[in-house]
Amino acid sequence: MNRLNTKTLPRSWVAVGISMLMATSAWAQEPAAATAALKGSAAAGEKIAQSGSAGGAAACATCHGAKGEGQAGFPALAGQHAGYLERQLNQMAAGARQSAVMAPMAKALSEQERADVAAFYSSLKLPIKAVRGALPGKDDDSGAWLVERGRWADGIPACAQCHGPGGVGVGKDFPAIGHLPADYMQTQIDAWNKGQREAGPLGLMGAVAKKLTAEDIKAVAAYYQRLHNPAAATTTAKP
Ligand code: HEC
Ligand code: HEC
């Protein structure tokens, strides 16, 4: 049985975690020191974001947008928790999260520089707000069900339970997802299912990813979009 560090995760997530924990979660066995975060300088990070790093990482803004807003194929970084961003960069540098495009750049950054860019992007504004969606009823689509209630028949807890209301993220462990396009979400689900992305805290997301279909992901992304842009949703609903 893996030991759980109940001090770093709120009790409700730990309960979810215990029920979902895979027998061999590498994360749970990792010593805490290996994931300790460095203190980043947002000012130093901003320079790298705009002009690249001394070690040869390209300017992040070229792909992730001038304000970290992201664009097709390149995820938004603005407003994600620094601890989450730093962990992703460290995992890409270590080969635990694979990406032909992004991993060489994570490697080209020093550990301190990874903390710096993480501090910079987390200081920018997340484009979505914490909106609590209504609990869906029988007529609501699968996106609403997955996000707000989960699909317990398949052992899938509500996305909101870990990713917060409106998918704005919770602390360093649970990233904001409410603004991510379906395409990017799907590439990450595929990466977990192919073993190309380390599943993070307690292996929680790796276990969820196995159970999500491509239709589920499209429905979740569409639901979040409606939740965050109710006006746009009503005007574009029908031709
Ligand atoms: C040539 C384009 C390109 C450049 C330049 C680039 N990235 Fe990326 N980045 C990507 C792609 C593509 C992904 C998605 C990888 C994947 O599918 O897992 C990504 C993913 C990321 C992620 C993970 C985001 C998440 O939500 O998990 C972080 C963090 C990141 N990049 C930071 C940076 C930083 C910091 C820089 C500048 C030093 C940078 N990137 C420069 C293409 C780029
Ligand atoms: C039991 C907790 C838990 C639940 C429930 C959960 N997630 Fe996650 N999710 C996580 C964790 C933890 C991570 C961060 C993994 C890491 O650090 O690499 C994550 C990461 C993600 C990411 C990657 C974000 C990025 O920027 O790369 C996506 C996409 C995602 N989750 C989608 C979902 C969807 C959709 C649902 C609901 C169907 C869901 N998650 C439910 C725990 C959860």
Side-chain angles (χ1 to χ4, degrees):
M1 185 61 202
N2 293 294
R3 267 188 304 121
L4 296 173
N5 185 349
T6 48
K7 287 208 178 92
T8 58
L9 289 170
R11 190 169 289 160
S12 59
W13 295 320
V14 172
V16 172
I18 292 169
S19 67
M20 299 188 45
L21 194 58
M22 311 307 292
T24 55
S25 162
W27 179 274
Q29 283 146 12
E30 220 172 352
T35 56
L38 296 173
K39 184 157 173 43
S41 152
E46 182 168 17
K47 287 207 187 86
I48 297 170
Q50 264 142 35
S51 323
S53 77
C60 324
T62 319
C63 294
H64 292 284
K67 298 199 172 79
E69 72 277 21
Q71 53 179 321
F74 307 110
L77 305 177
Q80 286 287 19
H81 195 286
Y84 170 76
L85 293 174
E86 187 180 354
R87 187 168 74 247
Q88 297 311 310
L89 290 167
N90 287 339
Q91 291 185 339
M92 288 191 268
R97 177 172 171 182
Q98 297 167 25
S99 162
V101 178
M102 188 57 220
M105 275 178 287
K107 276 200 191 83
L109 297 171
S110 69
E111 256 182 89
Q112 183 61 52
E113 287 172 328
R114 285 176 220 141
D116 293 344
V117 285
F120 169 62
Y121 281 112
S122 74
S123 76
L124 303 178
K125 203 164 170 274
L126 188 73
I128 49 170
K129 295 215 164 67
V131 209
R132 205 171 280 281
L135 278 183
K138 64 176 171 44
D139 294 335
D140 288 296
D141 71 10
S142 59
W145 275 83
L146 282 163
V147 170
E148 309 294 354
R149 286 193 198 255
R151 191 162 69 215
W152 287 96
D154 292 341
I156 307 175
C159 315
Q161 189 161 352
C162 289
H163 291 282
V168 291
V170 181
K172 67 175 169 47
D173 286 330
F174 303 99
I177 60 168
H179 59 320
L180 298 176
D183 287 355
Y184 172 72
M185 282 199 202
Q186 188 62 52
T187 60
Q188 301 313 302
I189 300 295
D190 294 344
W192 280 304
N193 290 340
K194 289 185 207 149
Q196 293 169 350
R197 177 171 172 175
E198 146 84 55
L202 305 179
L204 292 174
M205 192 57 210
V208 174
K210 283 202 187 80
K211 298 165 178 164
L212 293 171
T213 66
E215 283 66 40
D216 290 339
I217 291 300
K218 281 193 200 120
V220 164
Y223 171 74
Y224 275 132
Q225 211 169 18
R226 286 200 308 277
L227 189 64
H228 293 298
N229 306 290
T234 39
T235 50
T236 56
K238 288 263 150 64

